[in-house]
């Protein structure tokens, strides 16, 4: 089946690290993505990881992939108020052309 | 370098009317996707189109909804006889297509449909 799950809310203190988790079901996924949606806007790709990788780091962002458990996480170091947004995990479905399946999104809020 | 353009940004319709949402993909992109985002929910895949072809419409409701991507002009998502449950944000995304790419989707800012 095609399903991507994430928790709905996360609250962190400014300056701390945020860790957003995601689980997916399709073992044939080629790419896994993290998208960011700010209020009233569309989604923007933050980062992606190819399914044969374990980790990818890009400045304050670290993506970890546990393919055995089908678990993906996004760590944001030194979280700032500008990081407040909804973060969507997504997977590409190899068996279905180029369809990309999104999770329900995790709303990240920052406490002062 | 214009991104994905959607219009209208906001649309209000009464029950039973028709809604037409338009999407112009990024320049050079031949693949278009439509997603629906219900309030406080994630994105649900609706349909994936290439020029003049529907590739995957597994997320489209069987009735009242249709999509097209003609040879010339924008992609259109059409909802006939709208009901209150159709109220949502409809996002269009485009990609360059098949080939050695990451499959990244480029999203428009969405069209927010409100059905009274």
């Amino acid at each position: 089946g095609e399903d991507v799950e994430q928790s709905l809310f996360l609250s962190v203190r400014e300056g701390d690290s945020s860790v957003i988790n995601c689980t997916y079901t399709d073992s044939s996924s080629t790419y896994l993505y993290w998208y960011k949606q700010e209020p009233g806007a569309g989604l923007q790709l933050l980062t992606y990881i190819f399914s044969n990788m374990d980790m990818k780091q890009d400045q304050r962002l670290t993506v970890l992939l546990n393919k055995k458990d089908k678990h993906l996480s996004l760590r944001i170091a030194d979280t700032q108020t500008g990081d407040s947004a909804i973060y969507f995990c997504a997977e590409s479905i190899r068996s279905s052309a180029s369809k990309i399946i999104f999770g329900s999104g995790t709303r990240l809020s920052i406490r002062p | 370098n214009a991104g994905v353009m959607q219009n209208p940004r906001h649309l209000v319709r009464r029950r039973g009317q028709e809604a037409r949402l338009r999407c112009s993909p990024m320049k050079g992109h031949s693949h278009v996707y439509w997603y629906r985002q219900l309030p406080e929910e994630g994105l649900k895949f609706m349909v994936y189109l290439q020029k003049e072809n529907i590739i995957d419409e597994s997320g489209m409701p069987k009735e009242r909804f249709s999509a097209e991507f003609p040879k010339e002009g924008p992609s259109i998502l059409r909802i006939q006889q709208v009901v209150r449950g159709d109220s949502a944000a409809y996002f269009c995304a485009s990609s360059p297509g098949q080939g050695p790419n990451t499959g990244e989707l480029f999203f428009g800012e969405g069209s927010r449909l409100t059905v009274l």
Side-chain angles (χ1 to χ4, degrees):
Chain A
E2 304 165 355
D3 201 11
V4 177
E5 293 191 355
Q6 8 176 176
S7 53
L8 291 179
F9 300 100
L10 177 66
S11 175
V12 299
R13 195 179 300 278
E14 187 175 2
D16 288 352
S17 291
S18 306
V19 180
I20 303 171
N21 295 300
C22 166
T23 56
Y24 61 97
T25 55
D26 194 310
S27 57
S28 68
S29 295
T30 49
Y31 288 95
L32 294 127
Y33 309 88
W34 285 103
Y35 281 80
K36 179 182 180 182
Q37 183 184 32
E38 295 185 357
L43 279 70
Q44 285 191 306
L45 181 68
L46 267 184
T47 187
Y48 66 90
I49 188 167
F50 190 50
S51 57
N52 69 352
M53 297 169 62
D54 297 325
M55 186 182 93
K56 181 178 180 181
Q57 187 149 5
D58 183 3
Q59 299 182 335
R60 291 192 298 124
L61 305 178
T62 303
V63 178
L64 294 177
L65 175 60
N66 181 329
K67 201 169 180 185
K68 174 175 169 287
D69 294 338
K70 298 192 184 73
H71 182 266
L72 183 74
S73 68
L74 173 70
R75 179 175 178 269
I76 306 172
D78 186 25
T79 310
Q80 303 297 310
T81 53
D83 295 323
S84 292
I86 303 175
Y87 291 81
F88 289 91
C89 172
E91 62 169 343
S92 61
I93 303 295
R94 190 206 301 256
S95 60
S96 180
S98 297
K99 188 162 79 174
I100 295 182
I101 302 296
F102 287 81
S104 55
T106 299
R107 187 179 296 272
L108 176 64
S109 61
I110 315 301
R111 306 191 302 274
Chain B
N1 183 19
V4 177
M5 303 299 292
Q6 290 189 247
N7 68 83
R9 292 292 311 277
H10 299 274
L11 181 64
V12 179
R13 285 287 178 266
R14 296 190 182 281
R15 280 180 297 169
Q17 291 184 319
E18 179 180 288
R20 278 184 183 238
L21 309 177
R22 287 176 290 278
C23 169
S24 296
M26 280 184 74
K27 188 175 179 181
H29 287 190
S30 58
H31 292 221
V32 163
Y33 306 74
W34 285 94
Y35 286 82
R36 175 164 62 176
Q37 185 177 34
L38 291 166
E40 304 303 321
E41 292 189 19
L43 285 173
K44 298 297 182 188
F45 169 81
M46 298 183 76
V47 62
Y48 161 43
L49 309 106
Q50 296 176 21
K51 283 284 186 184
E52 299 186 278
N53 287 306
I54 296 175
I55 306 302
D56 185 339
E57 57 181 347
S58 57
M60 289 278 272
K62 293 286 185 279
E63 296 175 349
R64 302 188 298 108
F65 284 72
S66 62
E68 62 175 8
F69 188 16
K71 188 176 178 182
E72 302 290 337
S75 175
I76 307 282
L77 179 68
R78 183 179 176 212
I79 312 171
Q80 294 177 290
Q81 299 174 324
V82 295
V83 300
R84 288 216 173 102
D86 297 332
S87 296
Y90 292 84
F91 287 94
C92 172
S94 71
S95 72
Q98 299 294 331
N101 64 75
T102 61
E104 177 185 356
L105 296 182
F106 294 82
F107 280 84
E109 294 189 320
S111 291
R112 281 156 181 82
L113 171 66
T114 302
V115 179
L116 301 177

